Amino acid sequence: MSEKAFQFKEFSIEQDRCAMKIGTDGVLLGAWASMEHQPNSILDIGTGTGLIALMLAQRSPALLIDALEIDEDAYEQAVDNFEQSNWGDRLFCYHAAFDEFVEEMQDEEKYELIISNPPFYSEDYTSENASRNKARFAEALPFSELVEGVSKLLHPQGEFNTIIPHKEETDFITLAREFGLFPKKITRVRGNETSAIKRSLLSFNFKKEQPEKNELIIEISRHNYTDAYKKLVKDFYLKL
């Protein structure tokens, strides 16, 4: 393991070849994702380092955990991270664009849980690093393409979980509805009690129901974390 590897309680992540490093969003989503319906098949779209797929392998006995990554360096890194983990036999990474993957897989068995920490910094300037652009910018995977693809690959009783900027929440929910997906749970995330809501964690399924809504505050003060946040991520972070 290299010095730059990120060590979690039950696995480690090498990230030197990945444009997008491990961040709070990915850890939040991997820890928050619903396992109540006990999915046996999982798809992680845009896996990057493989973080979320590995978190779900730790949390779930699912026999099939597929991951998808378009960037070649990130794909190879995810494969390595999967092989180094205790769950290498259940984790598989595809190197493909999402639209190609959907085309290939839409007539196969459907996934019971689909999860994605999608690229969404579309309003920011474009950086000079092409891989980072691909990982960070919505042009690489527009929300409309993501949601349409999910609707084709998701099991009728399955769930789709994602994390997006809070300001995109209403539009994303409207978009999902066009493809028959409805919010089941919405968790809005604040950095601290006085900061604005920054992220929305969203869970969708094909049932029309009144979504459960709540808020998560990460910190009381700098590096002083709330009990709710610690409870959510305690199985993963070494220092919590």
Side-chain angles (χ1 to χ4, degrees):
M1 191 172 77
S2 76
E3 288 175 21
K4 288 184 180 168
F6 198 106
Q7 184 65 51
F8 288 92
K9 281 186 177 169
E10 294 192 33
F11 60 89
S12 69
I13 297 257
E14 298 277 359
Q15 52 180 353
D16 56 301
R17 285 176 280 161
C18 276
M20 286 307 288
K21 308 303 182 192
I22 289 167
T24 306
D25 285 0
V27 177
L28 274 174
L29 181 59
W32 179 86
S34 170
M35 292 289 161
E36 286 163 23
H37 64 305
Q38 298 178 313
N40 207 25
S41 56
I42 296 172
L43 173 64
D44 175 18
I45 302 165
T47 197
T49 58
L51 168 69
I52 292 173
L54 284 158
M55 291 178 75
L56 297 184
Q58 179 181 322
R59 290 183 59 202
S60 149
L63 294 176
L64 178 71
I65 304 176
D66 285 344
L68 183 67
E69 179 52 53
I70 188 172
D71 182 81
E72 189 167 359
D73 287 337
Y75 159 75
E76 288 173 1
Q77 188 123 65
V79 169
D80 288 347
N81 285 330
F82 290 170
E83 286 174 355
Q84 299 305 317
S85 77
N86 295 327
W87 312 291
D89 56 335
R90 295 193 283 137
L91 291 154
F92 187 82
C93 198
Y94 291 89
H95 180 216
F98 186 50
D99 56 349
E100 296 167 354
F101 185 80
V102 172
E103 193 69 32
E104 190 77 22
M105 303 294 280
Q106 60 185 347
D107 297 325
E108 302 291 324
E109 290 264 327
K110 306 295 185 196
Y111 291 98
E112 292 168 5
L113 173 64
I114 299 179
I115 194 160
S116 182
N117 176 13
F120 49 58
Y121 289 90
S122 52
E123 77 282 7
D124 292 1
Y125 67 93
T126 302
S127 78
E128 287 172 23
N129 180 325
S131 297
R132 191 168 172 78
N133 289 346
K134 204 181 282 176
R136 287 191 68 176
F137 291 88
E139 288 80 37
L141 180 59
F143 284 161
S144 55
E145 188 185 313
L146 173 64
V147 174
E148 182 178 5
V150 165
S151 72
K152 292 175 179 175
L153 299 179
L154 188 64
H155 188 279
Q157 274 76 53
E159 289 191 24
F160 166 51
N161 290 185
T162 190
I163 184 167
I164 59 169
H166 175 61
K167 62 179 170 33
E168 308 269 8
E169 181 190 299
T170 304
D171 288 348
F172 195 95
I173 288 171
T174 303
L175 178 67
R177 198 176 291 130
E178 290 175 21
F179 294 99
L181 288 161
F182 301 93
K184 180 188 175 190
K185 184 177 180 183
I186 300 169
T187 297
R188 300 181 177 115
V189 184
R190 296 180 193 270
N192 58 54
E193 232 173 340
T194 57
S195 62
I197 296 171
K198 194 180 176 196
R199 295 280 185 264
S200 295
L201 286 154
L202 305 172
S203 179
F204 294 90
N205 60 21
F206 289 116
K207 300 182 200 120
K208 266 189 186 170
E209 54 193 340
Q210 205 52 43
E212 178 192 337
K213 295 180 183 175
N214 58 22
E215 261 192 29
L216 174 69
I217 297 167
I218 294 177
E219 292 180 322
I220 299 161
S221 56
R222 196 75 184 120
H223 300 309
N224 178 15
Y225 298 104
T226 63
D227 287 344
Y229 178 71
K230 285 194 278 196
K231 185 180 175 193
L232 186 64
V233 300
K234 67 176 174 16
D235 290 341
F236 302 99
Y237 280 130
L238 286 171
K239 303 267 169 59
L240 280 182

